[in-house]
Amino acid sequence: LYQDGIALSVYRNRYRLKRKGINYGRYKLYDKKWLHDLNIKTVIDIGANIGEFTIIYSELFEKATLYAFEPLPACYEKLSKRTSGINRIHVYECGLGDTIGEQSINLSSWHPASSFRSMDATHKVNYPHSADSVSVTVNINKLDNILSTKDMVGNVFIKMDVQGFEDE
């Protein structure tokens, strides 16, 4: 143990994850025995943004195939670059909904705050760094049009961060 009581193996793991661009604190949120015990074989990341959680899931579920969906073009580009060396990750430039077509999204000056819903005044006051936005048209598709049940083997883990598009 080091002076601060952290084992050398923890430092090594933090360093290994950092080299892969993974935030250790966020990784630890999901590094739970009960989650590993589920033997996840398919991960569907709906609203993958730039791939922070997609990369974390690829580490946690080493035998899983991952499908990441992101409609914002700039975020999709970063997601594609971050995941390009991991063959188990498949990325799609679209949002998922109950219809096929196009939808306007409010692209925030701080991309994680982008939303299909309008930002209200309280949000703008409390989070001024995300207050500016422009409307962007993105593609929407149905999950059933992209993946079939044969693509979803074993236990399936679905993460959704769809920025106001939950009902759809």
Side-chain angles (χ1 to χ4, degrees):
L1 294 179
Y2 282 94
Q3 287 180 346
D4 57 4
I6 298 175
L8 179 59
S9 62
V10 172
Y11 277 108
R12 285 184 178 146
N13 197 31
R14 282 184 183 178
Y15 179 72
R16 181 184 65 78
L17 294 171
K18 185 176 181 178
R19 285 187 19 230
K20 292 183 175 194
I22 296 174
N23 176 300
Y24 183 76
R26 293 211 188 238
Y27 173 87
K28 290 303 289 178
L29 290 173
Y30 293 94
D31 188 19
K32 307 294 185 209
K33 182 183 180 324
W34 68 267
L35 195 52
H36 289 286
D37 289 347
L38 292 175
N39 196 25
I40 303 295
K41 296 292 185 198
T42 302
V43 175
I44 302 173
D45 188 353
I46 306 170
N49 198 267
I50 62 171
E52 177 181 15
F53 287 103
T54 307
I55 298 291
I56 288 171
Y57 303 145
S58 73
E59 280 291 307
L60 289 172
F61 310 121
E62 295 175 347
K63 295 180 181 177
T65 301
L66 297 92
Y67 302 95
F69 298 88
E70 175 52 48
L72 292 172
C75 293
Y76 170 80
E77 185 177 320
K78 288 179 183 177
L79 168 66
S80 294
K81 286 180 183 176
R82 288 186 79 185
T83 61
S84 65
I86 307 170
N87 295 334
R88 299 178 295 114
I89 299 176
H90 308 278
V91 298
Y92 300 88
E93 187 176 5
C94 65
L96 293 179
D98 57 359
T99 60
I100 300 168
E102 295 181 331
Q103 178 76 31
S104 293
I105 187 171
N106 299 300
L107 176 60
S108 172
S109 50
W110 185 60
H111 64 83
S114 299
S115 179
F116 287 98
R117 308 287 184 241
S118 297
M119 190 180 300
D120 70 10
T122 303
H123 186 121
K124 290 178 181 182
V125 168
N126 290 308
Y127 303 97
H129 63 284
S130 65
D132 296 330
S133 68
V134 296
S135 181
V136 175
T137 301
V138 297
N139 292 318
I140 304 296
N141 207 328
K142 293 181 173 184
L143 181 61
D144 291 346
N145 287 347
I146 299 171
L147 301 179
S148 70
T149 53
K150 66 182 177 191
D151 294 318
M152 294 181 257
V153 297
N155 289 331
V156 179
F157 179 88
I158 300 174
K159 173 262 188 181
M160 283 183 29
D161 185 1
V162 294
Q163 304 299 100
F165 212 60
E166 292 81 2
D167 291 343
E168 290 80 3

